[in-house]
Amino acid sequence: MRVKDKYINPFTDFGFKKLFGSEPNKDLLVDFLNELLQKKTGQIIDLTYLPPEQLGRHIDNRKAIFDIYCENEYGERFIVELQKAKQNYFKDRSIYYSTFPIQQQAEKGQWDFKLNAIYTVGILDFVFDEDKEDQDVFHHEVKLIDQSTKRVFYDKLTYIYLEMPKFTKTENELETHFDKWLYILRNLENLTNRPKKLQEKIFGKLFEQAEIANYTDQEYAEYEESLKVYRDLKNVIDTAFDEGKAEGLAEGLAEGVEKGKAEGLAEGKAVGLAEGIEKGKDAAIRLTALQLKQEGIPNEIIVKVTGLSIETVEKLS
């Protein structure tokens, strides 16, 4: 096999599951989650991987496919998701996914409704549109808050999002163990050697598992395919959104001018721009889905990225 890079890209499906989703490397996930959560109730000692595909309570309900789904020794559930590209209604999807581990805790017969904690962790290879002007906050931890008291109302449901493009610390600026984890996620693919600041035993194992030269021919072929899907996905989405925005803005401006004849040109342009932006979003999403289909990306991944229904994706041609 011909190795071009020394270490895998952790934002590929293969790379992410190789490092965090396999039983032999469970200690990597445990260490990462302990640093991420800093749980006051005690550290995670062990995790059990649960089936990633979850079905609704009825056969016709929409299913969910998690990247990593696991449970610790206290019965707490963890959904760990890698999101490679912007998705329409991404936050809605996170909330929807968290309902599966809630419903699964229901017991038959007499039950007092006591629930174990649920954590949804999103490692994002993009920045939320609403937060792109704020470069200081990349680690979002969301709970149910009482607006009157500003205190946590319910502490068993937590959503954590890491906007990785905002993490820009260099090796010399790394201060905490968590900093080092984020640095690895952000830079692993581009490293040629294990950095001097990352000499902890857990990172020694991670770099060993991430080194492509250690893979079998079969593993290397699977990684190369996963890397191709990742790069095609990023390229298609970037192109499609640019084209969709341009198309929507042009259409909106044209409509705005027409409305401007009756309502005043300035107001017409404003109305047209607003409507054009919305149409541009929809056009971009559908164009993205279509181009992904043409690239041979599986429908399940297209649904996850775009937020469109599987029925809509299947009908695109």
Side-chain angles (χ1 to χ4, degrees):
M1 65 183 174
R2 185 171 59 88
V3 179
K4 292 171 285 188
D5 300 312
K6 184 169 185 179
Y7 300 112
I8 58 175
N9 181 333
F11 284 93
T12 61
D13 286 336
F14 178 93
F16 187 62
K17 290 170 184 174
K18 173 73 174 178
L19 297 179
F20 295 114
S22 62
E23 190 70 28
N25 294 338
K26 183 165 57 178
D27 52 339
L28 299 179
L29 180 60
V30 168
D31 191 83
F32 174 73
L33 288 177
N34 278 327
E35 288 301 310
L36 173 66
L37 302 176
Q38 295 291 313
K39 286 165 57 63
K40 298 180 177 61
T41 55
Q43 289 202 327
I44 301 168
I45 304 301
D46 192 24
L47 290 171
T48 300
Y49 288 105
L50 302 174
E53 183 171 309
Q54 302 296 312
L55 300 176
R57 298 185 65 184
H58 303 288
I59 194 169
D60 57 344
N61 281 4
R62 186 165 184 161
K63 66 183 178 181
I65 302 177
F66 304 138
D67 286 336
I68 295 174
Y69 183 36
C70 51
E71 180 180 25
N72 70 3
E73 62 273 22
Y74 309 113
E76 298 172 327
R77 307 286 179 95
F78 302 85
I79 300 169
V80 186
E81 288 276 292
L82 184 73
Q83 190 68 23
K84 296 181 280 293
K86 291 181 182 179
Q87 176 194 8
N88 204 26
Y89 305 122
F90 170 73
K91 294 179 182 177
D92 299 65
R93 178 176 173 274
S94 291
I95 304 300
Y96 174 71
Y97 269 29
S98 69
T99 65
F100 285 83
I102 292 174
Q103 294 178 64
Q104 288 169 358
Q105 296 185 55
E107 298 178 6
K108 293 182 178 180
Q110 291 293 110
W111 178 47
D112 60 5
F113 289 94
K114 181 181 179 181
L115 296 171
N116 293 320
I118 297 164
Y119 298 87
T120 296
V121 178
I123 303 172
L124 315 180
D125 197 16
F126 66 90
V127 172
F128 289 128
D129 284 338
E130 60 270 30
D131 295 323
K132 61 185 178 183
E133 301 302 325
D134 185 355
Q135 292 299 313
D136 295 328
V137 179
F138 65 88
H139 181 182
H140 302 274
E141 183 167 323
V142 182
K143 293 179 181 285
L144 292 177
I145 300 291
D146 186 325
Q147 291 283 20
S148 300
T149 63
K150 305 303 179 185
R151 292 196 296 267
V152 175
F153 174 76
Y154 185 72
D155 64 356
K156 293 183 180 180
L157 191 59
T158 305
Y159 301 89
I160 298 175
Y161 304 107
L162 301 173
E163 297 174 290
M164 293 307 301
K166 288 184 179 180
F167 184 82
T168 57
K169 284 189 176 182
T170 64
E171 181 185 350
N172 292 332
E173 295 172 322
L174 303 179
E175 299 174 355
T176 67
H177 192 67
F178 187 53
D179 278 350
K180 295 175 183 179
W181 265 115
L182 297 182
Y183 180 82
I184 289 173
L185 289 173
R186 186 81 167 87
N187 299 284
L188 181 60
E189 180 188 25
N190 299 316
L191 296 176
T192 55
N193 288 292
R194 180 179 172 187
K196 292 181 179 180
K197 272 206 169 185
L198 277 64
Q199 294 304 310
E200 290 88 337
K201 183 178 179 181
I202 194 72
F203 294 139
K205 178 174 182 178
L206 184 144
F207 278 96
E208 179 182 343
Q209 294 296 313
E211 189 166 353
I212 299 171
N214 295 332
Y215 294 170
T216 65
D217 287 347
Q218 178 63 32
E219 288 176 319
Y220 180 70
E222 291 175 7
Y223 171 60
E224 281 288 286
E225 179 61 28
S226 184
L227 185 62
K228 180 181 183 301
V229 169
Y230 169 78
R231 289 173 174 167
D232 287 347
L233 185 67
K234 296 286 285 185
N235 181 62
V236 169
I237 286 175
D238 289 345
T239 302
F241 269 87
D242 287 343
E243 291 177 356
K245 285 179 181 178
E247 178 184 329
L249 285 172
E251 184 178 338
L253 279 171
E255 290 185 6
V257 171
E258 288 301 313
K259 290 186 179 183
K261 293 176 181 178
E263 304 171 8
L265 185 59
E267 182 181 349
K269 281 186 177 180
V271 171
L273 275 171
E275 292 181 358
I277 288 171
E278 287 305 310
K279 290 185 178 181
K281 288 180 180 178
D282 183 67
I285 292 166
R286 289 176 179 272
L287 182 57
T288 297
L290 179 58
Q291 292 185 349
L292 291 174
K293 285 193 70 173
Q294 293 170 344
E295 290 288 335
I297 306 299
N299 286 350
E300 290 77 10
I301 294 179
I302 298 175
V303 168
K304 181 177 177 181
V305 169
T306 63
L308 296 173
S309 68
I310 188 68
E311 295 81 8
T312 301
V313 173
E314 289 174 348
K315 290 178 182 177
L316 290 174
S317 61

